[in-house]
Amino acid sequence: MRLKTLAATCLLSTAIVAPGLLLAPSAYAADAAITSFEQERQERRADRQERRREARGDRREQRRDARGGRGGNREEGRQERRREARGDQRGERREARREARREDRRDARREGRREDRREARREDRREHRREARREDRREHRREVRREIRQDARREARREYRRDVRREARREYRRDVRRDARHDYRRDQRRYYNHDRRGHNRYSPPPRRVVHYSVNHRPSYGRNWRYHDRYRHYNSHQFYYTDQFCRTDGDALIAGALIGALFGGALGDGDGGAYLAGGLIGAGLGASLNDCDRGQYRYGLHSAFTTDQPYYWANPYSGVRGVVRAGDYHSWGPRQCRWGDAEIFLPNGQVSYDRVRMCQDNYGRWEVARRQ
């Protein structure tokens, strides 16, 4: 537009000037000026076109590059763009996966550390429980040993008390026997010294009792044969009391003495008759005479009084016996003892007898009413 305006201006100025110049040189100069102007104008136009072509070429090249080829295939461009987009997405995904793996590794390390801490706490608890169980076992063993020691001390105290009670009972029995002997001797002294005061309730003890030892070899009847058990007593001294075997007028005195020993009266129902007749047995009782029964009764009294075995014998009939007093025991309100007797007959028979005797209020022994 500017060029057209410039050309018009030149033509107008030439038309105006041409009449003034009127000369050919002027026209030639004008043509030369117009020609140079046109050349410049064409050069400028060529430059502009070249620049435009270059710009179009650049844009075309860019579009071609964008389309993916020289032919301008849009599909290829789209594919290329898709590939680039996919590449970008793949890279993003790859980066995301890397980041996820890094995060997983961080989480795994954190989880591993947490698991290690949990395992350490579990191990601490297990170790604490093991130590608690060990302490419980140690405490249990200590408690068992403590109980064993307590049981041993308790048993020792129990044994000590048992020994003390046993010794006390032994002392008591010894005292009872001593007191009984003392009371018996006192009663004897009372009877002897205070007979005038009317102590008729005290039975007089047997007086003028003469007994002598009998040789262990029988003096009469060399053909006497005793039981084999008699060998245990063959070396002992057997005693014979003459007062219980008299056949003259002193037999009444002997019966009174026997009745005094056993707390009964003379007769069929006295304690001595019951003792020698009922407890020995009908067969053996028939084999013993009155002298044998008297010796047996006196042996019982002597064994219970002296606490020593008494060996009695009748040298005329050949009957011999041993009497022992057993331990004390309480029978109701009374203090009693059992007496064991062995009686040997000259024909080889042996018999055993057992009788209970109790003390009265004065310490004297008498046959119990119930055996």
Side-chain angles (χ1 to χ4, degrees):
M1 188 67 186
R2 289 178 181 179
L3 293 176
K4 291 179 178 180
T5 303
L6 182 60
T9 302
C10 290
L11 290 176
L12 180 61
S13 58
T14 301
I16 295 173
V17 174
L21 293 176
L22 300 177
L23 294 174
S26 299
Y28 180 76
D31 293 334
I34 293 170
T35 302
S36 62
F37 180 74
E38 287 291 335
Q39 290 177 354
E40 291 179 0
R41 181 179 177 183
Q42 291 178 358
E43 290 177 356
R44 287 195 295 272
R45 185 180 300 168
D47 293 335
R48 287 196 298 271
Q49 291 177 356
E50 184 67 25
R51 286 195 298 272
R52 289 173 183 169
R53 282 195 297 273
E54 290 179 358
R56 284 195 298 271
D58 293 335
R59 286 195 297 272
R60 192 179 297 111
E61 186 68 26
Q62 290 177 0
R63 285 194 297 270
R64 189 183 298 112
D65 294 338
R67 292 172 182 174
R70 182 178 295 274
N73 193 349
R74 295 180 179 180
E75 185 64 27
E76 292 181 355
R78 285 194 294 272
Q79 291 178 359
E80 183 67 23
R81 285 193 297 274
R82 290 193 191 99
R83 282 193 294 272
E84 290 178 357
R86 283 195 298 270
D88 294 339
Q89 293 176 359
R90 193 177 295 115
E92 291 176 359
R93 287 194 296 271
R94 188 180 300 111
E95 186 65 24
R97 285 194 295 272
R98 291 195 192 97
E99 186 64 26
R101 284 194 294 271
R102 286 194 291 269
E103 187 65 27
D104 292 340
R105 284 193 292 271
R106 286 195 293 269
D107 293 340
R109 286 194 293 272
R110 285 195 293 270
E111 186 64 27
R113 287 193 291 271
R114 283 196 293 270
E115 186 64 28
D116 292 339
R117 288 193 292 271
R118 284 195 292 270
E119 186 63 28
R121 288 194 293 271
R122 291 195 202 96
E123 186 63 29
D124 292 339
R125 287 194 292 270
R126 284 194 293 269
E127 184 64 27
H128 179 71
R129 286 194 293 271
R130 291 195 204 98
E131 186 63 28
R133 284 194 294 271
R134 294 194 200 98
E135 184 63 27
D136 292 340
R137 286 194 292 270
R138 287 194 290 269
E139 183 64 26
H140 176 69
R141 287 194 290 269
R142 286 195 292 268
E143 186 66 26
V144 169
R145 289 194 292 269
R146 190 180 304 113
E147 290 179 358
I148 290 173
R149 289 194 294 270
Q150 290 177 357
D151 293 340
R153 289 194 292 269
R154 192 181 303 112
E155 186 63 27
R157 289 193 295 270
R158 191 181 297 114
E159 186 66 25
Y160 173 75
R161 296 192 192 101
R162 191 182 300 118
D163 294 340
V164 169
R165 288 194 296 269
R166 189 183 297 114
E167 186 64 26
R169 285 194 299 269
R170 191 179 295 113
E171 291 291 336
Y172 172 75
R173 292 167 184 168
R174 190 179 299 116
D175 294 341
V176 167
R177 290 192 295 269
R178 185 172 57 250
D179 294 341
R181 290 193 296 269
H182 175 73
D183 294 340
Y184 178 73
R185 296 189 184 106
R186 183 186 59 193
D187 293 341
Q188 285 183 333
R189 288 193 298 271
R190 283 180 180 176
Y191 177 77
Y192 286 122
N193 300 327
H194 304 282
D195 192 20
R196 295 180 181 180
R197 299 182 63 178
H199 292 279
N200 297 324
R201 61 184 299 181
Y202 298 105
S203 301
R207 290 176 296 176
R208 296 186 301 104
V209 176
V210 178
H211 65 279
Y212 53 90
S213 62
V214 179
N215 194 328
H216 60 275
R217 295 181 179 275
S219 302
Y220 306 97
R222 297 294 182 176
N223 57 349
W224 291 345
R225 300 178 62 89
Y226 295 101
H227 194 270
D228 292 339
R229 185 171 176 78
Y230 181 75
R231 296 177 182 176
H232 297 284
Y233 311 112
N234 196 22
S235 60
H236 291 279
Q237 291 292 335
F238 288 80
Y239 294 95
Y240 168 73
T241 306
D242 184 62
Q243 279 80 353
F244 299 112
C245 293
R246 293 180 182 177
T247 57
D248 52 3
D250 293 337
L252 182 60
I253 300 176
L257 292 177
I258 293 174
L261 289 177
F262 294 99
L266 181 63
D268 295 336
D270 65 348
Y274 173 73
L275 173 65
L279 296 179
I280 295 176
L284 184 59
S287 301
L288 299 181
N289 53 31
D290 294 337
C291 182
D292 298 333
R293 294 188 182 93
Q295 300 297 325
Y296 176 41
R297 296 167 188 173
Y298 185 76
L300 277 173
H301 180 268
S302 299
F304 275 77
T305 304
T306 61
D307 287 333
Q308 297 293 331
Y310 186 82
Y311 305 90
W312 60 272
N314 185 359
Y316 300 101
S317 63
V319 180
R320 299 191 175 198
V322 180
V323 182
R324 294 184 186 83
D327 293 334
Y328 287 84
H329 66 274
S330 297
W331 190 56
R334 308 179 68 182
Q335 195 78 4
C336 301
R337 301 176 72 178
W338 282 103
D340 297 320
E342 296 179 78
I343 300 174
F344 299 95
L345 299 180
N347 58 2
Q349 294 182 2
V350 61
S351 180
Y352 302 94
D353 193 11
R354 186 173 176 84
V355 60
R356 174 187 285 160
M357 298 182 69
C358 300
Q359 286 180 322
D360 59 5
N361 295 331
Y362 303 100
R364 294 172 302 186
W365 291 100
E366 60 183 7
V367 179
R369 295 297 180 183
R370 293 176 56 187
Q371 295 295 316

mmCIF file of all heavy atoms in Angstrom, residues 344-369:
data_model
loop_
_atom_site.group_PDB
_atom_site.id
_atom_site.type_symbol
_atom_site.label_atom_id
_atom_site.label_comp_id
_atom_site.label_asym_id
_atom_site.label_seq_id
_atom_site.Cartn_x
_atom_site.Cartn_y
_atom_site.Cartn_z
ATOM 1 N N PHE A 344 2.609 -126.482 136.320
ATOM 2 C CA PHE A 344 3.186 -127.703 135.776
ATOM 3 C C PHE A 344 2.787 -128.884 136.666
ATOM 4 O O PHE A 344 2.976 -128.845 137.887
ATOM 5 C CB PHE A 344 4.719 -127.597 135.717
ATOM 6 C CG PHE A 344 5.201 -126.471 134.839
ATOM 7 C CD1 PHE A 344 5.505 -125.234 135.403
ATOM 8 C CD2 PHE A 344 5.342 -126.646 133.475
ATOM 9 C CE1 PHE A 344 5.946 -124.191 134.607
ATOM 10 C CE2 PHE A 344 5.787 -125.606 132.687
ATOM 11 C CZ PHE A 344 6.082 -124.382 133.246
ATOM 12 N N LEU A 345 2.225 -129.894 136.047
ATOM 13 C CA LEU A 345 1.869 -131.127 136.757
ATOM 14 C C LEU A 345 2.970 -132.165 136.566
ATOM 15 O O LEU A 345 3.683 -132.144 135.527
ATOM 16 C CB LEU A 345 0.532 -131.666 136.239
ATOM 17 C CG LEU A 345 -0.681 -130.738 136.427
ATOM 18 C CD1 LEU A 345 -1.935 -131.397 135.871
ATOM 19 C CD2 LEU A 345 -0.864 -130.384 137.889
ATOM 20 N N PRO A 346 3.131 -133.071 137.513
ATOM 21 C CA PRO A 346 4.227 -134.052 137.398
ATOM 22 C C PRO A 346 4.018 -135.068 136.263
ATOM 23 O O PRO A 346 4.952 -135.792 135.927
ATOM 24 C CB PRO A 346 4.244 -134.722 138.770
ATOM 25 C CG PRO A 346 2.875 -134.529 139.311
ATOM 26 C CD PRO A 346 2.406 -133.209 138.805
ATOM 27 N N ASN A 347 2.823 -135.096 135.675
ATOM 28 C CA ASN A 347 2.607 -136.042 134.579
ATOM 29 C C ASN A 347 2.922 -135.442 133.211
ATOM 30 O O ASN A 347 2.592 -136.027 132.177
ATOM 31 C CB ASN A 347 1.157 -136.535 134.609
ATOM 32 C CG ASN A 347 0.164 -135.382 134.514
ATOM 33 O OD1 ASN A 347 0.567 -134.214 134.396
ATOM 34 N ND2 ASN A 347 -1.116 -135.707 134.584
ATOM 35 N N GLY A 348 3.512 -134.230 133.156
ATOM 36 C CA GLY A 348 3.904 -133.613 131.893
ATOM 37 C C GLY A 348 2.921 -132.584 131.372
ATOM 38 O O GLY A 348 3.189 -131.951 130.347
ATOM 39 N N GLN A 349 1.782 -132.390 132.038
ATOM 40 C CA GLN A 349 0.824 -131.393 131.592
ATOM 41 C C GLN A 349 1.252 -130.004 132.078
ATOM 42 O O GLN A 349 1.902 -129.861 133.095
ATOM 43 C CB GLN A 349 -0.571 -131.721 132.112
ATOM 44 C CG GLN A 349 -1.165 -133.003 131.553
ATOM 45 C CD GLN A 349 -2.567 -133.246 132.081
ATOM 46 O OE1 GLN A 349 -3.107 -132.444 132.841
ATOM 47 N NE2 GLN A 349 -3.162 -134.366 131.692
ATOM 48 N N VAL A 350 0.809 -128.999 131.304
ATOM 49 C CA VAL A 350 1.045 -127.607 131.678
ATOM 50 C C VAL A 350 -0.245 -126.838 131.393
ATOM 51 O O VAL A 350 -0.941 -127.097 130.406
ATOM 52 C CB VAL A 350 2.236 -126.996 130.896
ATOM 53 C CG1 VAL A 350 1.980 -127.006 129.397
ATOM 54 C CG2 VAL A 350 2.513 -125.563 131.376
ATOM 55 N N SER A 351 -0.583 -125.898 132.254
ATOM 56 C CA SER A 351 -1.798 -125.112 132.108
ATOM 57 C C SER A 351 -1.464 -123.658 132.384
ATOM 58 O O SER A 351 -0.548 -123.346 133.164
ATOM 59 C CB SER A 351 -2.877 -125.606 133.063
ATOM 60 O OG SER A 351 -4.052 -124.836 132.908
ATOM 61 N N TYR A 352 -2.268 -122.797 131.729
ATOM 62 C CA TYR A 352 -2.053 -121.356 131.866
ATOM 63 C C TYR A 352 -3.311 -120.744 132.452
ATOM 64 O O TYR A 352 -4.437 -121.087 132.075
ATOM 65 C CB TYR A 352 -1.754 -120.717 130.502
ATOM 66 C CG TYR A 352 -0.548 -121.308 129.815
ATOM 67 C CD1 TYR A 352 -0.695 -122.337 128.888
ATOM 68 C CD2 TYR A 352 0.735 -120.855 130.111
ATOM 69 C CE1 TYR A 352 0.405 -122.883 128.260
ATOM 70 C CE2 TYR A 352 1.846 -121.402 129.488
ATOM 71 C CZ TYR A 352 1.680 -122.415 128.560
ATOM 72 O OH TYR A 352 2.766 -122.950 127.958
ATOM 73 N N ASP A 353 -3.108 -119.801 133.346
ATOM 74 C CA ASP A 353 -4.219 -119.141 133.993
ATOM 75 C C ASP A 353 -3.984 -117.633 133.944
ATOM 76 O O ASP A 353 -2.839 -117.167 133.934
ATOM 77 C CB ASP A 353 -4.346 -119.617 135.446
ATOM 78 C CG ASP A 353 -5.677 -119.195 136.048
ATOM 79 O OD1 ASP A 353 -6.541 -118.742 135.270
ATOM 80 O OD2 ASP A 353 -5.846 -119.326 137.267
ATOM 81 N N ARG A 354 -5.101 -116.871 133.919
ATOM 82 C CA ARG A 354 -5.024 -115.413 133.869
ATOM 83 C C ARG A 354 -6.105 -114.868 134.784
ATOM 84 O O ARG A 354 -7.281 -115.230 134.658
ATOM 85 C CB ARG A 354 -5.237 -114.912 132.436
ATOM 86 C CG ARG A 354 -5.039 -113.415 132.257
ATOM 87 C CD ARG A 354 -5.109 -113.085 130.782
ATOM 88 N NE ARG A 354 -5.013 -111.663 130.531
ATOM 89 C CZ ARG A 354 -3.876 -110.976 130.435
ATOM 90 N NH1 ARG A 354 -2.724 -111.616 130.559
ATOM 91 N NH2 ARG A 354 -3.856 -109.687 130.204
ATOM 92 N N VAL A 355 -5.721 -113.996 135.699
ATOM 93 C CA VAL A 355 -6.645 -113.478 136.692
ATOM 94 C C VAL A 355 -6.405 -111.986 136.851
ATOM 95 O O VAL A 355 -5.265 -111.506 136.756
ATOM 96 C CB VAL A 355 -6.469 -114.212 138.038
ATOM 97 C CG1 VAL A 355 -5.066 -114.023 138.567
ATOM 98 C CG2 VAL A 355 -7.494 -113.736 139.062
ATOM 99 N N ARG A 356 -7.486 -111.242 137.081
ATOM 100 C CA ARG A 356 -7.388 -109.806 137.309
ATOM 101 C C ARG A 356 -7.592 -109.543 138.800
ATOM 102 O O ARG A 356 -8.552 -110.017 139.405
ATOM 103 C CB ARG A 356 -8.451 -109.055 136.511
ATOM 104 C CG ARG A 356 -8.497 -107.547 136.818
ATOM 105 C CD ARG A 356 -9.664 -106.890 136.138
ATOM 106 N NE ARG A 356 -9.427 -106.728 134.718
ATOM 107 C CZ ARG A 356 -10.402 -106.535 133.825
ATOM 108 N NH1 ARG A 356 -11.663 -106.542 134.233
ATOM 109 N NH2 ARG A 356 -10.124 -106.377 132.554
ATOM 110 N N MET A 357 -6.693 -108.739 139.356
ATOM 111 C CA MET A 357 -6.764 -108.342 140.754
ATOM 112 C C MET A 357 -6.694 -106.828 140.811
ATOM 113 O O MET A 357 -5.962 -106.190 140.048
ATOM 114 C CB MET A 357 -5.632 -108.967 141.570
ATOM 115 C CG MET A 357 -5.666 -110.491 141.598
ATOM 116 S SD MET A 357 -4.364 -111.206 142.617
ATOM 117 C CE MET A 357 -4.925 -110.702 144.244
ATOM 118 N N CYS A 358 -7.447 -106.259 141.728
ATOM 119 C CA CYS A 358 -7.537 -104.808 141.862
ATOM 120 C C CYS A 358 -7.228 -104.427 143.305
ATOM 121 O O CYS A 358 -7.379 -105.222 144.242
ATOM 122 C CB CYS A 358 -8.926 -104.303 141.477
ATOM 123 S SG CYS A 358 -9.400 -104.671 139.764
ATOM 124 N N GLN A 359 -6.851 -103.157 143.468
ATOM 125 C CA GLN A 359 -6.553 -102.633 144.797
ATOM 126 C C GLN A 359 -7.796 -101.976 145.380
ATOM 127 O O GLN A 359 -8.555 -101.308 144.664
ATOM 128 C CB GLN A 359 -5.419 -101.608 144.713
ATOM 129 C CG GLN A 359 -4.044 -102.214 144.474
ATOM 130 C CD GLN A 359 -2.968 -101.154 144.398
ATOM 131 O OE1 GLN A 359 -3.195 -100.088 143.844
ATOM 132 N NE2 GLN A 359 -1.821 -101.451 144.965
ATOM 133 N N ASP A 360 -7.964 -102.161 146.687
ATOM 134 C CA ASP A 360 -9.050 -101.486 147.357
ATOM 135 C C ASP A 360 -8.602 -100.095 147.778
ATOM 136 O O ASP A 360 -7.540 -99.610 147.351
ATOM 137 C CB ASP A 360 -9.536 -102.315 148.549
ATOM 138 C CG ASP A 360 -8.414 -102.565 149.555
ATOM 139 O OD1 ASP A 360 -7.305 -102.008 149.340
ATOM 140 O OD2 ASP A 360 -8.635 -103.305 150.524
ATOM 141 N N ASN A 361 -9.384 -99.450 148.586
ATOM 142 C CA ASN A 361 -9.061 -98.084 148.998
ATOM 143 C C ASN A 361 -7.812 -98.008 149.864
ATOM 144 O O ASN A 361 -7.279 -96.907 150.073
ATOM 145 C CB ASN A 361 -10.242 -97.482 149.763
ATOM 146 C CG ASN A 361 -11.467 -97.334 148.880
ATOM 147 O OD1 ASN A 361 -11.344 -97.154 147.662
ATOM 148 N ND2 ASN A 361 -12.648 -97.422 149.480
ATOM 149 N N TYR A 362 -7.358 -99.131 150.386
ATOM 150 C CA TYR A 362 -6.180 -99.141 151.256
ATOM 151 C C TYR A 362 -4.976 -99.754 150.578
ATOM 152 O O TYR A 362 -3.981 -100.059 151.244
ATOM 153 C CB TYR A 362 -6.516 -99.895 152.550
ATOM 154 C CG TYR A 362 -7.704 -99.302 153.263
ATOM 155 C CD1 TYR A 362 -8.961 -99.881 153.138
ATOM 156 C CD2 TYR A 362 -7.563 -98.162 154.037
ATOM 157 C CE1 TYR A 362 -10.062 -99.338 153.774
ATOM 158 C CE2 TYR A 362 -8.665 -97.607 154.674
ATOM 159 C CZ TYR A 362 -9.910 -98.194 154.540
ATOM 160 O OH TYR A 362 -10.983 -97.643 155.156
ATOM 161 N N GLY A 363 -5.050 -99.969 149.265
ATOM 162 C CA GLY A 363 -3.898 -100.486 148.544
ATOM 163 C C GLY A 363 -3.730 -101.975 148.607
ATOM 164 O O GLY A 363 -2.691 -102.485 148.189
ATOM 165 N N ARG A 364 -4.708 -102.704 149.145
ATOM 166 C CA ARG A 364 -4.586 -104.159 149.222
ATOM 167 C C ARG A 364 -5.167 -104.791 147.969
ATOM 168 O O ARG A 364 -6.157 -104.302 147.406
ATOM 169 C CB ARG A 364 -5.309 -104.675 150.476
ATOM 170 C CG ARG A 364 -4.664 -104.227 151.762
ATOM 171 C CD ARG A 364 -5.505 -104.595 152.952
ATOM 172 N NE ARG A 364 -6.855 -104.005 152.874
ATOM 173 C CZ ARG A 364 -7.725 -104.093 153.851
ATOM 174 N NH1 ARG A 364 -7.432 -104.733 154.961
ATOM 175 N NH2 ARG A 364 -8.925 -103.541 153.710
ATOM 176 N N TRP A 365 -4.570 -105.906 147.576
ATOM 177 C CA TRP A 365 -5.000 -106.584 146.366
ATOM 178 C C TRP A 365 -6.088 -107.590 146.682
ATOM 179 O O TRP A 365 -6.017 -108.323 147.677
ATOM 180 C CB TRP A 365 -3.828 -107.321 145.725
ATOM 181 C CG TRP A 365 -2.803 -106.383 145.149
ATOM 182 C CD1 TRP A 365 -1.626 -106.018 145.722
ATOM 183 C CD2 TRP A 365 -2.915 -105.699 143.931
ATOM 184 N NE1 TRP A 365 -0.960 -105.118 144.936
ATOM 185 C CE2 TRP A 365 -1.718 -104.894 143.804
ATOM 186 C CE3 TRP A 365 -3.851 -105.614 142.905
ATOM 187 C CZ2 TRP A 365 -1.486 -104.085 142.717
ATOM 188 C CZ3 TRP A 365 -3.602 -104.794 141.813
ATOM 189 C CH2 TRP A 365 -2.448 -104.031 141.732
ATOM 190 N N GLU A 366 -7.098 -107.591 145.811
ATOM 191 C CA GLU A 366 -8.173 -108.549 145.936
ATOM 192 C C GLU A 366 -8.645 -108.956 144.527
ATOM 193 O O GLU A 366 -8.459 -108.195 143.564
ATOM 194 C CB GLU A 366 -9.341 -107.969 146.721
ATOM 195 C CG GLU A 366 -9.959 -106.731 146.097
ATOM 196 C CD GLU A 366 -11.062 -106.153 146.931
ATOM 197 O OE1 GLU A 366 -11.253 -106.653 148.059
ATOM 198 O OE2 GLU A 366 -11.750 -105.220 146.466
ATOM 199 N N VAL A 367 -9.208 -110.129 144.430
ATOM 200 C CA VAL A 367 -9.662 -110.632 143.147
ATOM 201 C C VAL A 367 -10.845 -109.823 142.669
ATOM 202 O O VAL A 367 -11.776 -109.553 143.437
ATOM 203 C CB VAL A 367 -10.033 -112.138 143.256
ATOM 204 C CG1 VAL A 367 -10.531 -112.656 141.927
ATOM 205 C CG2 VAL A 367 -8.843 -112.927 143.743
ATOM 206 N N ALA A 368 -10.797 -109.386 141.405
ATOM 207 C CA ALA A 368 -11.902 -108.613 140.850
ATOM 208 C C ALA A 368 -13.142 -109.475 140.702
ATOM 209 O O ALA A 368 -13.050 -110.683 140.397
ATOM 210 C CB ALA A 368 -11.512 -108.024 139.511
ATOM 211 N N ARG A 369 -14.297 -108.891 140.921
ATOM 212 C CA ARG A 369 -15.535 -109.645 140.798
ATOM 213 C C ARG A 369 -15.796 -110.081 139.369
ATOM 214 O O ARG A 369 -16.414 -111.102 139.122
ATOM 215 C CB ARG A 369 -16.701 -108.777 141.295
ATOM 216 C CG ARG A 369 -16.621 -108.461 142.797
ATOM 217 C CD ARG A 369 -16.707 -109.728 143.610
ATOM 218 N NE ARG A 369 -16.627 -109.437 145.050
ATOM 219 C CZ ARG A 369 -16.626 -110.359 145.989
ATOM 220 N NH1 ARG A 369 -16.698 -111.649 145.646
ATOM 221 N NH2 ARG A 369 -16.549 -110.039 147.267
#
